[in-house]
Amino acid sequence: MHFDKDTIVALATAPGTAAIAVIRLSGTSAFDICNSVFTDKNGFPKKLSLQKSHKLHYGWICSDNSLIDEVIISIFKAPHSYTGENTVEISCHGSVFIQQKIIQVLINSGARPAKAGEFTLRAFLNRKLDLPQAEAVADLIASDSQASHLLALNQMRGGVSQKINTFRQQLIHFASLIELELDFNEEDIEFANRSDLKQLVGDLQNEIQPIILSFKEGDVLKNGIPIAIVGKPNVGKSTLLNALLDEEKAIVSPIPGTTRDAIEDEIIIEGVRFRFIDTAGIRNTTDEIESIGVSKTFQKIKHASVVIYMFDVMEITPDELLQSISELNVKQILVVGNKIDCLNGTELTKKFIDRIPEIIYISAKQRINIHQISNRLTELYSIDVINKNDTVLTNARHFEALKKTSTALERVNNGLNSNLTGDLLAADIRNALLHIGEITGEITTDDLLENIFNKFCIGK
Amino acid sequence: MHFDKDTIVALATAPGTAAIAVIRLSGTSAFDICNSVFTDKNGFPKKLSLQKSHKLHYGWICSDNSLIDEVIISIFKAPHSYTGENTVEISCHGSVFIQQKIIQVLINSGARPAKAGEFTLRAFLNRKLDLPQAEAVADLIASDSQASHLLALNQMRGGVSQKINTFRQQLIHFASLIELELDFNEEDIEFANRSDLKQLVGDLQNEIQPIILSFKEGDVLKNGIPIAIVGKPNVGKSTLLNALLDEEKAIVSPIPGTTRDAIEDEIIIEGVRFRFIDTAGIRNTTDEIESIGVSKTFQKIKHASVVIYMFDVMEITPDELLQSISELNVKQILVVGNKIDCLNGTELTKKFIDRIPEIIYISAKQRINIHQISNRLTELYSIDVINKNDTVLTNARHFEALKKTSTALERVNNGLNSNLTGDLLAADIRNALLHIGEITGEITTDDLLENIFNKFCIGK
């Protein structure tokens, strides 16, 4: 990767008008560039390169002798900064005009606008963090539930990297022994004990497999568990959503302005985001004309982690219900009988509870037994999974690379079983190492880095 | 004003997801509260009250032994902070979830959510800035053109305050002399020389009047000059707007993402915002049915600072044109003949230029002579006005208070002319002082302060 030594600048805080905004400047010339536009409160320049790191300075940003803003600047000296380079953060008044003006004068003084993710890319290139940690920074910024936050935080603190690095060190050890054999090829010496290698490959597979499997859960915990609520019209689907939302709202939000409210069909229960998928149309299964709509609904059901099948206790018989459920044919189903307030206890017990006790009986309207649904969802998808396992995979790139690593290891294992020669074994081990190295960023290509950091916001 | 000693907390940067966000904590207990949730990178607490002011500390925000985010905190010790109180600024990852979580744990540790403008209110109450300066902070944050930026900056640096304070000191001097006379009432002594007072009142009026008059210009420079473009359909109004916009775009915006582009009818020319007002409908002046629409148009024309009357050189005779213009009856008019590319030079000269040379002849489509319009607008409304006059009034509150001051002074003057007794003169001077003191905030009421600071954003 070509390492650009330019000094880069970008707005680091969210765009828009606010009390303050922060502009970040990073690179070898960061202090000199800032120097040329910054004066202390008396209008005297301040030699920033002579100041101590981690200090705040009050003063003014000026250009061509005209004042732009009263600011506080933060000094971070290389390597003690996020990027590992000299860095200045300018905290200015949060007017969009002022933000642009300051960025403009810094550009005029020699900085250039940062590309998306370029600050974090530099942090990676300066070995302040490895690739999964860099990726976790983006995840952390995007995190919007306790689960996604916790997953990103674990990854940023090196959860994934440590595991992968241990695997890598062990493989490198054996790879180097086998490579050594190749140098002494004609002498037919085995430096690498084959049964030790077989043992190692087996151990690695045993450790890698659960991590690969953790992706399925990690992915939905990070992005929200897709839940399909299925049921005829007017069984009370949106009333249930409101009831679930109300229950959580009361717990979650003493701070005004939680954004979640705007997204109707997403509910965070005990820190986990559940995405409720609209599946209107299930009623027309017998209607040929609308079969396209129905097949779409079944597509959605297929992609859901859980299907909530909701029915009206007044409108259906237990036999019809059991029939409908068996037709659905899904892995994880939660059957919910609504409108129990319309039947008296004896009727309800006689008609349903005695016959199908495992169903959750609720009144969405009267908010009865709603917590049973949220409890059940929380049992299925809980942040405890993250707390119990230090390595839960959430990144599709890591998932793919680990699968490839596993396949390569499988080939190494097969090779060992069939007494493959050292050079062929070495090729398979190298292949495993390549994929494992791609995860931590020991092995990178420009394309890979561009692909990763392009997804960042500008300013990070 | 009841001075609340609570420690307040709010997000100081714009809401939304970004690289970083800054949370501000201010009050006597700011350090203790932050202490209870902040540890250094090794998990040890850091006694923030023992740290030096204006220092940055790297560490973690935690709650109940679980990590929330890796942060940089800035320490400002009273009185060396924006508010004049102990202040901590926490720079965290810009996830909305993390922002809320950190604010939440600070609230749990004893802070309370800040009200709109409460940080600046505290700065005012702690005498870090006076009322016009506090108001200028809000103006600065809202500033969106060079003109509004410059006006706010001048006011924040004390432009208005200094002038007003000088007036006030002079008046106080005389008021105290007259009050002294009242104490010696029975002895009929004149401490305050009446002709000196008359001179002073005259001088003050001479200084106050131009400042009052400056409001009209200051107000539109701050909020945008309303320009009505009047003309029949298809004379090329929107082509002209695009042409003006294009011309400025090329000069103004090497930075991506200028917000201005989104607002179709506002154009910043040489740092001044012009708001173009839609006046479709002028064609129907003779049509009785649509007379309501027309009267609305004339209302808009009335509120415009400048009217651009645009016509198509192909569609109208000079006599008709002169007739139309005289009917408009507006103060500031710019007559623009469009589509000169449709006539050859000889025809145009013969038909119009020779007869009405003061008109601007353009081709909006071919971008000919567009700069003549922007030049003319810039001649009428230029930021030079701000540079030349240190006190340009932009605040309606100051304007009203100064008018009342002037009226009170007028009464003092009349009183002096009719040899009014000291106690009555004193009452009028006190009245003038009251209004002048309201401007700088020497005299405030809770209502006034609430009114001013309510308009701020939360976090400032």
Side-chain angles (χ1 to χ4, degrees):
Chain A
M1 182 79 190
H2 166 66
F3 197 161
D4 208 334
K5 290 284 182 188
D6 293 359
T7 295
I8 53 175
V9 63
L11 181 69
T13 49
T17 302
I20 63 166
V22 177
I23 291 159
R24 188 183 268 171
L25 191 65
S26 179
T28 319
S29 312
F31 297 146
D32 290 340
I33 289 171
C34 189
N35 246 342
S36 67
V37 299
F38 178 77
T39 69
D40 69 13
K41 62 180 169 183
N42 301 314
F44 295 115
K46 213 165 194 174
K47 190 79 183 154
L48 296 179
S49 53
L50 301 180
Q51 308 299 322
K52 283 190 188 151
S53 189
H54 289 64
K55 280 276 290 173
L56 295 156
H57 299 271
Y58 166 85
W60 286 83
I61 299 288
C62 323
S63 159
D64 303 330
N65 289 321
S66 72
L67 296 175
I68 294 172
D69 199 15
E70 196 183 15
V71 299
I72 300 270
I73 64 169
S74 309
I75 301 282
F76 300 89
K77 288 194 161 182
H80 306 291
S81 69
Y82 177 68
T83 56
E85 305 173 326
N86 288 338
T87 299
V88 181
E89 287 184 0
I90 301 171
S91 173
C92 64
H93 284 94
S95 133
V96 175
F97 178 81
I98 290 173
Q99 293 164 24
Q100 289 183 358
K101 193 89 182 172
I102 293 177
I103 291 172
Q104 185 63 72
V105 301
L106 292 169
I107 290 170
N108 293 346
S109 301
R112 74 159 168 79
K115 291 177 221 150
E118 200 171 3
F119 292 95
T120 307
L121 172 63
R122 289 183 174 203
F124 166 70
L125 293 173
N126 286 321
R127 301 189 168 270
K128 300 289 286 187
L129 27 76
D130 66 17
L131 220 40
Q133 288 176 314
E135 287 168 304
V137 169
D139 288 348
L140 196 62
I141 288 172
S143 71
D144 52 7
S145 68
Q146 202 181 339
S148 56
H149 171 241
L150 209 53
L151 287 165
L153 216 51
N154 284 351
Q155 188 173 320
M156 200 179 75
R157 300 184 72 215
V160 171
S161 312
Q162 276 168 24
K163 267 275 168 59
I164 302 292
N165 269 324
T166 314
F167 300 161
R168 194 165 170 267
Q169 292 312 321
Q170 294 173 294
L171 265 178
I172 284 178
H173 174 64
F174 267 92
S176 59
L177 290 179
I178 291 201
E179 304 280 350
L180 203 60
E181 280 178 26
L182 302 183
D183 290 344
F184 293 83
N185 203 336
E186 285 151 37
E187 295 163 49
D188 201 20
I189 302 170
E190 271 192 18
F191 289 102
N193 184 307
R194 292 298 184 267
S195 68
D196 282 2
L197 181 55
K198 206 165 147 54
Q199 179 69 37
L200 170 71
V201 169
D203 288 352
L204 281 183
Q205 288 283 32
N206 285 341
E207 295 207 60
I208 287 176
Q209 283 313 314
I211 298 178
I212 290 176
L213 288 175
S214 78
F215 176 68
K216 201 182 155 197
E217 193 155 28
D219 184 44
V220 290
L221 279 170
K222 175 177 158 189
N223 297 310
I225 322 290
I227 308 269
I229 304 192
V230 172
K232 291 182 184 173
N234 288 322
V235 293
K237 287 177 285 192
S238 49
T239 314
L240 172 63
L241 279 180
N242 285 332
L244 284 166
L245 192 60
D246 270 3
E247 194 165 282
E248 288 307 311
K249 235 187 198 165
I251 305 163
V252 176
S253 205
I255 314 170
T258 47
T259 45
R260 188 170 32 79
D261 300 15
I263 306 153
E264 284 179 358
D265 300 322
E266 294 196 351
I267 296 172
I268 292 171
I269 301 172
E270 303 256 324
V272 176
R273 174 178 303 271
F274 292 89
R275 292 191 293 111
F276 288 90
I277 298 162
D278 186 16
T279 60
I282 193 95
R283 59 178 165 153
N284 299 306
T285 33
T286 54
D287 184 332
E288 273 190 66
I289 300 160
E290 288 189 35
S291 62
I292 299 165
V294 176
S295 80
K296 269 193 188 164
T297 292
F298 279 99
Q299 277 291 94
K300 284 177 180 173
I301 290 175
K302 215 178 115 192
H303 287 114
S305 294
V306 181
V307 170
I308 294 182
Y309 184 84
M310 206 169 169
F311 68 95
D312 180 339
V313 291
M314 301 292 286
E315 295 285 329
I316 199 167
T317 67
D319 290 323
E320 287 166 350
L321 175 65
L322 290 170
Q323 175 69 19
S324 300
I325 294 169
S326 71
E327 277 169 5
L328 266 177
N329 185 28
V330 288
K331 305 152 280 189
Q332 198 66 261
I333 190 166
L334 226 69
V335 183
V336 174
N338 191 20
K339 307 195 186 174
I340 59 167
D341 52 310
C342 301
L343 281 177
N344 68 43
T346 319
E347 287 171 324
L348 182 67
T349 307
K350 222 166 138 192
K351 187 172 176 190
F352 284 104
I353 301 181
D354 283 350
R355 284 206 53 191
I356 329 178
E358 63 273 25
I359 286 174
I360 301 176
Y361 295 96
I362 67 162
S363 162
K365 200 172 150 198
Q366 310 241 346
R367 307 281 193 263
I368 299 167
N369 287 349
I370 305 301
H371 62 280
Q372 290 194 12
I373 298 176
S374 37
N375 287 352
R376 197 73 73 89
L377 291 175
T378 303
E379 277 165 33
L380 294 170
Y381 292 93
S382 154
I383 54 164
D384 291 344
V385 175
I386 312 167
N387 290 326
K388 264 181 250 153
N389 302 288
D390 50 347
T391 318
V392 178
L393 222 54
T394 63
N395 187 306
R397 190 181 74 80
H398 304 170
F399 173 64
E400 292 302 330
L402 261 193
K403 276 203 298 186
K404 284 180 188 160
T405 307
S406 176
T407 308
L409 287 178
E410 189 52 38
R411 268 205 306 274
V412 175
N413 192 50
N414 294 341
L416 286 168
N417 286 340
S418 55
N419 292 317
L420 213 62
T421 56
D423 53 345
L424 291 173
L425 274 181
D428 284 335
I429 295 178
R430 259 183 246 127
N431 192 253
L433 273 172
L434 168 76
H435 293 303
I436 222 165
E438 270 177 2
I439 300 178
T440 55
E442 296 291 333
I443 294 156
T444 60
T445 61
D446 283 4
D447 280 353
L448 175 69
L449 292 183
E450 204 175 305
N451 204 18
I452 290 172
F453 289 98
N454 264 351
K455 286 174 200 142
F456 276 63
C457 54
I458 286 176
K460 193 70 207 178
Chain B
M1 182 77 189
H2 165 67
F3 197 161
D4 209 332
K5 289 282 180 189
D6 293 358
T7 295
I8 53 176
V9 64
L11 181 69
T13 48
T17 303
I20 63 167
V22 178
I23 291 159
R24 190 183 267 172
L25 191 65
S26 179
T28 319
S29 312
F31 297 145
D32 290 341
I33 289 171
C34 190
N35 248 341
S36 66
V37 299
F38 178 77
T39 69
D40 68 13
K41 62 181 167 181
N42 301 314
F44 296 115
K46 212 165 193 174
K47 191 79 184 157
L48 296 179
S49 54
L50 300 180
Q51 308 300 321
K52 283 192 186 150
S53 189
H54 288 65
K55 279 276 288 173
L56 295 157
H57 298 270
Y58 166 84
W60 286 82
I61 299 287
C62 324
S63 160
D64 303 329
N65 289 321
S66 71
L67 296 174
I68 295 172
D69 199 15
E70 193 184 18
V71 299
I72 300 272
I73 65 169
S74 309
I75 301 282
F76 301 89
K77 289 195 159 180
H80 306 292
S81 70
Y82 178 68
T83 56
E85 305 173 327
N86 287 340
T87 299
V88 181
E89 287 184 0
I90 300 171
S91 174
C92 64
H93 285 95
S95 134
V96 174
F97 178 82
I98 290 174
Q99 293 163 25
Q100 289 183 359
K101 193 90 183 170
I102 293 178
I103 290 172
Q104 185 62 71
V105 301
L106 292 169
I107 290 170
N108 293 347
S109 301
R112 73 161 170 77
K115 292 177 220 148
E118 201 170 3
F119 292 93
T120 308
L121 171 64
R122 289 184 172 200
F124 166 70
L125 294 173
N126 285 323
R127 301 189 169 272
K128 300 289 287 186
L129 27 75
D130 66 16
L131 219 39
Q133 288 176 313
E135 288 168 304
V137 169
D139 289 348
L140 196 62
I141 287 171
S143 70
D144 53 7
S145 68
Q146 201 182 340
S148 56
H149 171 242
L150 209 53
L151 287 165
L153 215 52
N154 284 350
Q155 188 173 320
M156 200 179 76
R157 301 186 71 216
V160 171
S161 313
Q162 276 169 24
K163 266 274 167 60
I164 303 293
N165 270 325
T166 314
F167 299 161
R168 193 163 171 269
Q169 291 314 322
Q170 292 172 296
L171 265 176
I172 284 176
H173 174 65
F174 267 92
S176 59
L177 290 178
I178 290 199
E179 303 279 351
L180 203 61
E181 280 180 25
L182 300 183
D183 291 343
F184 293 84
N185 202 335
E186 284 151 38
E187 295 163 50
D188 202 20
I189 301 169
E190 272 193 14
F191 288 102
N193 184 309
R194 292 299 184 267
S195 67
D196 282 1
L197 182 54
K198 206 165 146 54
Q199 179 70 39
L200 169 71
V201 169
D203 288 352
L204 281 182
Q205 288 282 33
N206 284 341
E207 295 207 59
I208 287 175
Q209 282 314 314
I211 296 178
I212 291 176
L213 289 175
S214 77
F215 177 69
K216 201 181 154 196
E217 194 155 27
D219 184 44
V220 290
L221 278 170
K222 176 177 156 187
N223 298 310
I225 322 292
I227 308 269
I229 304 192
V230 172
K232 292 182 185 174
N234 289 321
V235 294
K237 286 178 285 193
S238 49
T239 314
L240 173 61
L241 280 179
N242 284 334
L244 283 166
L245 192 60
D246 269 3
E247 194 165 281
E248 289 306 312
K249 237 187 199 166
I251 304 164
V252 176
S253 203
I255 313 171
T258 48
T259 46
R260 185 171 34 77
D261 300 13
I263 305 152
E264 286 181 357
D265 300 322
E266 295 197 351
I267 296 171
I268 293 173
I269 301 172
E270 304 254 322
V272 176
R273 174 179 303 272
F274 293 89
R275 292 191 292 111
F276 288 89
I277 299 164
D278 185 16
T279 60
I282 192 95
R283 60 180 165 149
N284 299 306
T285 32
T286 54
D287 184 334
E288 273 189 67
I289 301 162
E290 289 189 34
S291 62
I292 299 165
V294 177
S295 79
K296 269 192 188 165
T297 293
F298 279 99
Q299 278 290 96
K300 285 177 182 173
I301 290 175
K302 217 178 113 190
H303 289 113
S305 294
V306 180
V307 171
I308 295 181
Y309 184 85
M310 206 167 168
F311 68 95
D312 181 339
V313 291
M314 301 290 287
E315 295 284 330
I316 200 170
T317 67
D319 290 323
E320 287 166 351
L321 176 65
L322 290 170
Q323 175 69 19
S324 301
I325 296 170
S326 71
E327 278 168 4
L328 266 176
N329 185 27
V330 289
K331 306 153 279 190
Q332 197 68 262
I333 190 167
L334 226 71
V335 183
V336 175
N338 191 21
K339 307 194 186 176
I340 57 166
D341 51 312
C342 302
L343 281 177
N344 69 42
T346 319
E347 287 171 327
L348 182 68
T349 308
K350 221 166 140 192
K351 186 172 176 189
F352 284 105
I353 301 180
D354 284 351
R355 284 207 52 193
I356 330 177
E358 64 272 25
I359 288 175
I360 301 176
Y361 296 97
I362 67 162
S363 162
K365 199 171 149 199
Q366 310 240 345
R367 307 282 193 263
I368 299 167
N369 288 347
I370 304 300
H371 63 279
Q372 289 193 12
I373 297 176
S374 38
N375 288 352
R376 197 73 73 87
L377 291 174
T378 303
E379 275 165 33
L380 294 169
Y381 292 92
S382 154
I383 55 165
D384 291 344
V385 175
I386 312 167
N387 289 325
K388 264 182 250 152
N389 302 286
D390 49 348
T391 320
V392 177
L393 224 53
T394 63
N395 186 306
R397 190 181 74 79
H398 304 169
F399 173 63
E400 292 303 330
L402 259 193
K403 276 203 299 186
K404 285 179 188 160
T405 307
S406 176
T407 309
L409 286 179
E410 190 54 38
R411 270 208 304 277
V412 175
N413 192 50
N414 293 341
L416 287 169
N417 286 340
S418 54
N419 291 318
L420 213 62
T421 56
D423 51 347
L424 292 173
L425 275 181
D428 284 334
I429 295 176
R430 260 183 246 126
N431 193 252
L433 273 173
L434 169 75
H435 293 302
I436 222 165
E438 272 177 0
I439 300 177
T440 55
E442 297 291 334
I443 294 157
T444 59
T445 62
D446 282 5
D447 280 353
L448 175 68
L449 291 184
E450 204 175 307
N451 204 17
I452 290 172
F453 289 98
N454 265 351
K455 287 175 200 139
F456 276 63
C457 54
I458 286 176
K460 194 70 208 179

